[in-house]
Amino acid sequence: MIRNNVCIALLMLISGLTHGQSSFAPLNEDYYHNIDRYEVKSGVITPAFFTNVKPYKRSEIVEFFDSLEHNGLITSRADRFNYEYFMNDSWEFSRSATSDSKHKPFLKVFYRKKSDLYHVDEKAFDLHVNPVLMLSAGNDNRRDEMVYYNTRGVEVRGMVDGKVGFYTYFTDNQGVLPSYVWDQMATNPVIPHEGFWKEFKDGKGVDYFQARGYITFEATKHINIQFGHDRFNIGNGYRSLIYSDYPPPAWFLKADVKVWKLNYFFMLNQMTADVAGSLGGLRDVDGGYPDKFVATHHLAINIGKKLNLSVFESVVFSPDDSLGAGKFRLDYLNPIIFYRAIEQQNGSSDNVLLGMDFKWNIARRLSMYGQFVLDEFVLDHIKDADGWWANKYAIQAGAKYVDAFGVSNLDLQGEFNLIRPYTYSHGSVYGNYSSYRQPIAHPLGANLYELAGILRYQPIPRLSIIGKLNYSIQGKDTVGVNWGGDIMKNNNTRKQQYDNEIGQGVRTEVLFGSLTLSYMLKHNLFIDANVVIRKSEAPVPVYNNNTTLTSLALRWNIPRRLYEF
């Protein structure tokens, strides 16, 4: 009811409070790396957008790439290719001279532009329609079946009167997942990044839909309003400890204020608190799955030309929580209030997280970034170093080096993550920092150290080589014991009050390496060759296994599917 009333109010606002509009470029790790690398290359903070809140508006991406041309940052053949790719991908804003198809349009209607199967370009109506396709097949040494994905769908975006933007994406998916993903689903029966699913191929595979979509408009020149069903990411790193795109799309209402050197972001999400199912698929329950809500504030400021600092707070609450008040807290809809004070005033069982993130473009081609998340702590216990269970926090530190060692389009990234036991957990599923039984922040949950290294190289314009090496130490649980790594578990069932340390429990070391060669045949049509080697070592057999996965994929207007944990 609350959600319906909010949507009706927003629709009433649209007609009178709208300015020039733009849709957003969907989240895609490779796509966004090829944007952010040029800000690092410039050595200064771009005024076009704030890189720690994704996705970006297409109009802002065009503005940014237009500035690269003027500032002399297009220095190689690959840079020139990337520049034209992004200008063509959002040609409705760039009006790029290279956006027209080189070949005669099919039936004089289709592919008049390189990036679009079909488009309408009128003053009152802008429309872009594209197919979505992924066909992949591979071999997993621990599965008898071929590992594969078969995804078909459609993507549509556009604008009405240049004031109201819209986006929708729908796919039908069937696949057989890698063995290590299937192992995880044996204890937590959800597909990473996805929602409801059912079994496929005699219980050996999965079958599911994915749907995303939103409406967006500018309430004023500096205030954007967006609502719909989609994903977001907060941070500049490989991982996000604040808010990541790991869980499935969720309903949201978002307001974004960008003025002067400030960017203020408020978002309310309706998420799923718990699900029911097994390796045979999820099942329906009477009354549907329980809801919970996450409200987030994020304030960023650019200091000088090189430094960006941000602070954030999130609160997780639910009217379905049998331990709470059983009502929707309207206080949390206030976009300019301190959640922690409201939570204490209400005497509630809600979960509040606080923290900050930063980015420092030290010099041309070199940038540092980091995040700090505080779930709960008492200073006296920190001073005593007694390992109190509720001193819960997470830290990230990373660096990016583009055109490394003077080699054009060779980019390096290193990142370290630390998360204390029981961080993001709560006394019930209604308060932990998860959606659809998947972490909102780091995909591994908590109780871990992680070190990641990424190499990206674009030796020729259409070929990208991506290598990743990831080493993690995490404390896993045994049956009936909660050591603080699984954020879905009630933290009242913790093993001990004091002497808690990262990696406690079943010490599990995972070395994950991948190598991908991705070649763009035509605009947004790729062939990928991929090798994954994953070694998991632990004293308990269930966590002790080695996986080797090789695969080939053809994908069209869809990001690579990543299961990197």
Side-chain angles (χ1 to χ4, degrees):
M1 189 66 174
I2 293 288
R3 182 178 66 178
N4 292 339
N5 289 341
V6 170
C7 290
I8 291 170
L10 282 170
L11 289 171
M12 293 174 66
L13 281 171
I14 289 175
S15 60
L17 297 174
T18 51
H19 297 254
Q21 188 44 247
S22 169
S23 59
F24 293 75
L27 290 178
N28 177 329
E29 181 182 273
D30 300 329
Y31 190 97
Y32 276 88
H33 167 78
N34 277 333
I35 299 173
D36 292 349
R37 73 176 302 276
Y38 289 103
E39 190 203 53
V40 177
K41 185 174 180 176
S42 74
V44 297
I45 300 291
T46 176
F49 43 73
F50 285 71
T51 61
N52 52 3
V53 176
K54 295 178 175 67
Y56 308 152
K57 292 179 186 176
R58 288 182 175 272
S59 58
E60 294 174 342
I61 294 172
V62 167
E63 176 189 344
F64 174 64
F65 273 88
D66 190 50
S67 71
L68 298 182
E69 180 82 355
H70 295 305
N71 293 326
L73 294 171
I74 307 301
T75 58
S76 69
R77 290 177 57 233
D79 288 340
R80 173 59 56 185
F81 178 85
N82 294 339
Y83 170 84
E84 292 183 356
Y85 167 81
F86 282 104
M87 299 299 265
N88 293 340
D89 200 55
S90 300
W91 61 265
E92 67 270 34
F93 299 103
S94 69
R95 297 297 165 178
S96 171
T98 63
S99 64
D100 291 338
S101 293
K102 292 182 179 179
H103 305 290
K104 184 177 180 181
F106 180 61
L107 299 178
K108 298 182 179 181
V109 173
F110 301 107
Y111 281 110
R112 289 170 290 154
K113 296 288 186 179
K114 293 177 181 178
S115 61
D116 296 326
L117 170 67
Y118 178 76
H119 76 270
V120 176
D121 184 24
E122 302 288 344
K123 184 176 180 180
F125 186 51
D126 172 75
L127 179 70
H128 307 257
V129 180
N130 279 299
V132 175
L133 179 70
M134 173 177 276
L135 302 173
S136 69
N139 178 71
D140 185 319
N141 69 310
R142 294 176 53 223
R143 295 208 68 157
D144 295 330
E145 312 83 20
M146 179 177 67
V147 175
Y148 73 91
Y149 247 111
N150 181 358
T151 294
R152 298 89 54 215
V154 64
E155 180 184 52
V156 180
R157 76 173 192 270
M159 295 178 289
V160 178
D161 292 329
K163 294 184 176 182
V164 179
F166 60 89
Y167 175 86
T168 186
Y169 172 100
F170 174 80
T171 59
D172 183 19
N173 309 266
Q174 292 83 37
V176 174
L177 302 177
S179 56
Y180 66 93
V181 179
W182 201 245
D183 291 343
Q184 177 176 287
M185 292 173 62
T187 56
N188 185 26
V190 290
I191 304 171
H193 319 301
E194 309 299 344
F196 189 88
W197 66 280
K198 57 185 180 181
E199 68 175 358
F200 175 70
K201 203 175 181 182
D202 299 324
K204 298 176 181 178
V206 298
D207 186 351
Y208 64 92
F209 296 120
Q210 186 186 120
R212 309 197 312 268
Y214 59 79
I215 291 175
T216 179
F217 62 95
E218 304 294 328
T220 74
K221 182 179 179 181
H222 301 289
I223 301 176
N224 174 264
I225 306 293
Q226 186 184 4
F227 66 99
H229 187 83
D230 209 341
R231 293 187 177 105
F232 296 88
N233 190 84
I234 297 178
N236 290 288
Y238 169 57
R239 308 291 199 191
S240 174
L241 305 183
I242 296 176
Y243 196 108
S244 78
D245 59 352
Y246 182 78
W251 182 88
F252 71 91
L253 165 64
K254 179 173 76 75
D256 202 12
V257 182
K258 180 184 171 188
V259 63
W260 189 53
K261 299 179 181 181
L262 298 172
N263 186 78
Y264 181 71
F265 167 94
F266 164 76
M267 183 165 65
L268 175 69
N269 290 101
Q270 181 183 36
M271 295 180 170
T272 300
D274 203 4
V275 300
S278 66
L279 278 180
L282 300 185
R283 64 176 185 271
D284 297 326
V285 297
D286 292 340
Y289 294 143
D291 290 330
K292 64 181 175 184
F293 294 84
V294 178
T296 302
H297 296 159
H298 185 273
L299 175 63
I301 181 170
N302 291 332
I303 301 175
K305 294 183 177 181
K306 293 181 175 293
L307 181 64
N308 175 274
L309 290 178
S310 307
V311 292
F312 93 98
E313 61 173 342
S314 291
V315 59
V316 186
F317 62 103
S318 175
D320 292 340
D321 188 352
S322 59
L323 301 177
K327 58 185 178 181
F328 188 97
R329 299 298 317 186
L330 294 176
D331 316 59
Y332 296 139
L333 294 180
N334 189 331
I336 50 173
I337 202 165
F338 185 50
Y339 288 146
R340 181 62 174 167
I342 293 299
E343 180 219 15
Q344 290 181 330
Q345 177 177 300
N346 293 332
S348 75
S349 60
D350 303 330
N351 186 16
V352 174
L353 289 85
L354 307 173
M356 59 86 66
D357 61 289
F358 80 92
K359 178 184 65 180
W360 179 26
N361 287 347
I362 301 172
R364 281 180 175 261
R365 305 180 3 234
L366 182 62
S367 178
M368 292 182 63
Y369 62 88
Q371 293 183 331
F372 174 69
V373 174
L374 185 61
D375 191 348
E376 189 175 352
F377 88 109
V378 171
L379 185 59
D380 287 342
H381 287 293
I382 295 284
K383 291 179 178 178
D384 293 342
D386 56 11
W388 186 48
W389 77 275
N391 279 339
K392 301 182 291 182
Y393 57 83
I395 299 172
Q396 177 187 90
K400 297 177 182 180
Y401 181 27
V402 306
D403 289 350
F405 310 111
V407 179
S408 295
N409 304 96
L410 172 65
D411 301 343
L412 304 179
Q413 181 177 358
E415 182 174 299
F416 173 74
N417 294 299
L418 173 159
I419 307 177
R420 284 274 300 167
Y422 307 106
T423 305
Y424 305 118
S425 67
H426 199 250
S428 77
V429 294
Y430 301 99
N432 61 37
Y433 204 53
S434 73
S435 176
Y436 227 92
R437 294 190 63 87
Q438 301 178 47
I440 295 173
H442 197 291
L444 291 178
N447 192 16
L448 64 91
Y449 295 106
E450 180 185 48
L451 185 63
I454 304 173
L455 179 151
R456 297 174 183 269
Y457 184 41
Q458 195 175 358
I460 58 176
R462 293 184 177 273
L463 176 65
S464 295
I465 302 171
I466 304 114
K468 297 182 180 180
L469 191 62
N470 185 314
Y471 174 70
S472 65
I473 299 174
Q474 184 177 30
K476 300 278 192 177
D477 297 335
T478 52
V479 177
V481 180
N482 179 6
W483 286 106
D486 185 352
I487 70 169
M488 293 303 301
K489 289 186 177 179
N490 186 326
N491 58 28
N492 292 320
T493 65
R494 57 190 174 273
K495 175 65 176 176
Q496 57 197 29
Q497 192 83 349
Y498 297 97
D499 298 321
N500 293 283
E501 59 183 20
I502 297 175
Q504 66 184 16
V506 181
R507 180 186 171 97
T508 304
E509 299 182 39
V510 174
L511 182 64
F512 179 98
S514 68
L515 178 64
T516 302
L517 277 68
S518 183
Y519 188 84
M520 188 189 299
L521 294 170
K522 65 184 295 293
H523 192 95
N524 281 340
L525 177 64
F526 298 86
I527 292 180
D528 300 331
N530 187 51
V531 177
V532 171
I533 297 176
R534 183 182 185 272
K535 295 185 177 182
S536 178
E537 295 183 355
V540 176
V542 69
Y543 302 127
N544 196 17
N545 52 69
N546 296 327
T547 302
T548 301
L549 173 67
T550 57
S551 63
L552 285 173
L554 175 71
R555 57 186 177 90
W556 198 5
N557 297 307
I558 187 173
R560 292 185 295 127
R561 271 202 176 84
L562 303 176
Y563 301 116
E564 296 177 345
F565 49 81

